[in-house]
Amino acid sequence: MATRLAVHRFAQRTLPALLCASAARVPDRAFLRFIDPIAPSAGPRDLSYGAFRTLVCRAAAFLDAAGVGPGDRVLLLAENSPEWPAVSLAAQSLRAEPAALFASLSAGPAEEIARRVKPKVVFVSGPAQWRKLAAAAGDLQAAGLRAVLSLDPLAAGAVPAGVNLADGRSALGDGAPAISRADLEARAAAVTEEDPFLLLFTSGTTGRQKGVRLRQRSIVHAVDAGAPGVKTTEHDLGLHLLPFGHVAGHDQFCLALAQGHSLAMISRKEDLLPALALHPTYLFSVPLVYDRIRGGALAKVAGMPAPLRALVTAALAASERVRVDGSTALADRLLTRVADATVGKKVRAGLGGRVRGLFSGGAPASTPLFRFFEGLGMTFVELYGMTETAGLVSLNPFDGPRRAGSVGFITPD
């Protein structure tokens, strides 16, 4: 039996180069289907690979005008949106270092980190996030802050005099200045594997936020091993719900970018149902989300009349014996059909009807959780990673073998 994962070496070895390659190959394919929290019922805001490349070109023009270049930092404090990775990739294409903070950070830690980062440009989603940094604005300006880009407009005078203030529409919207596609490709070609990917802050196990400096080679190697392990293809639609403050949110995004597949993106848990209505083919989340799905299903079983409840409970146990333990007993196989018809069918429908894989990371998944989904015929892939490795260290491969309580095989990288 193999003890290490297979790898797939992408020809392009930096994220800006992967962006340019995918946008050139499938410019019209949907890349990001974003459920806008302002109007979630209005349907997704769709960006093709070509449109996302244009967004990166606009962000690069803004950062370039602010004087951002090699050695500079761009601080990002915002909820997930297409603009978040566009600004990050624009900074990377300029060989600058994006610095990511969790949008949920309170003002104290956010301000303290910003002072350490000393950004030339700050990107925020709106007034609520800027207020976390406002008290440090004067010191940040003295340390080199040149511009603040806020998706939602800030009030006049919100930033110190001499600091350029721009909103998302003027800097990133239709008609905003943009570098050319040829310029982006030339800049991407100049980025090396040793150039910055991300300065990512994590509390680890000791509480204080620490900055982990990741190079381009780190994230590309993670994607190299992740692609064959999870068996996603360019035809997949993944549900992207993990924040860009977490390395796993970047791993999923970068895998999609490299392969050319699509992502249904949300910025808050309240928009999960509209995203599932887009019929994703896989989910990538922390075990807590899957625990809630399992808990909801079992609660419905518990509410059934006693004879039916006993039958379905026995059927779920039998489905685990068949699909996890390898039972071939006729009674188990017949009961597995009952489990599929009564519970599996409803769970699949609740997840959009097309999910073929559930990927879990960020915390240990319990054995009952693994057995529940695998018993219903839904491949449950547990992964392990670290911020310091840009994510992936090991995983239970999609095409097996997978084992409860294990994070599988390590990547040769």
Side-chain angles (χ1 to χ4, degrees), residues 324-339:
V324 179
D325 302 327
S327 172
T328 59
L330 178 59
D332 283 348
R333 287 187 282 122
L334 291 175
L335 283 171
T336 295
R337 293 185 180 182
V338 175

Side-chain angles (χ1 to χ4, degrees), residues 96-299:
E97 186 172 39
L101 276 65
F102 275 99
S104 58
L105 275 181
S106 60
E111 179 185 333
E112 189 267 339
I113 292 172
R115 292 178 186 274
R116 289 156 57 193
V117 169
K118 298 180 174 63
K120 182 165 281 188
V121 172
V122 168
F123 169 76
V124 294
S125 49
Q129 296 294 359
W130 174 249
R131 282 195 291 271
K132 299 176 183 179
L133 306 177
D139 291 341
L140 295 180
Q141 183 183 26
L145 180 66
R146 296 277 298 276
V148 173
L149 172 58
S150 177
L151 284 184
D152 294 333
L154 302 183
V159 303
V163 173
N164 179 34
L165 174 61
D167 60 49
R169 177 172 295 182
S170 63
L172 304 175
D174 293 341
I179 66 172
S180 68
R181 172 181 168 183
D183 191 3
L184 178 66
E185 291 174 347
R187 292 174 184 266
V191 177
T192 73
E193 292 185 64
E194 297 304 315
D195 280 322
F197 155 54
L198 196 65
L199 172 56
L200 191 60
F201 284 84
T202 175
S203 60
T205 57
T206 57
R208 184 175 184 265
Q209 293 278 332
K210 298 172 287 295
V212 179
R213 304 187 73 184
L214 297 170
R215 304 296 176 183
Q216 291 287 329
R217 58 177 164 80
S218 300
I219 185 65
V220 176
H221 277 285
V223 170
D224 285 344
V230 299
K231 293 295 182 184
T232 52
T233 74
E234 63 179 346
H235 304 296
D236 273 301
L237 171 62
L239 176 58
H240 188 283
L241 52 81
L242 295 175
F244 284 122
H246 194 290
V247 69
H250 292 277
D251 286 326
Q252 183 185 12
F253 177 87
C254 295
L255 176 59
L257 180 72
Q259 288 188 321
H261 74 248
S262 305
L263 294 174
M265 178 182 287
I266 63 175
S267 62
R268 56 180 193 165
K269 62 183 180 181
E270 291 85 355
D271 296 327
L272 180 60
L273 290 180
L276 290 173
L278 300 177
H279 312 294
T281 58
Y282 76 88
L283 278 64
F284 183 24
S285 185
V286 293
L288 178 61
V289 171
Y290 299 122
D291 277 321
R292 288 173 176 168
I293 295 170
R294 174 176 176 264
L298 294 181

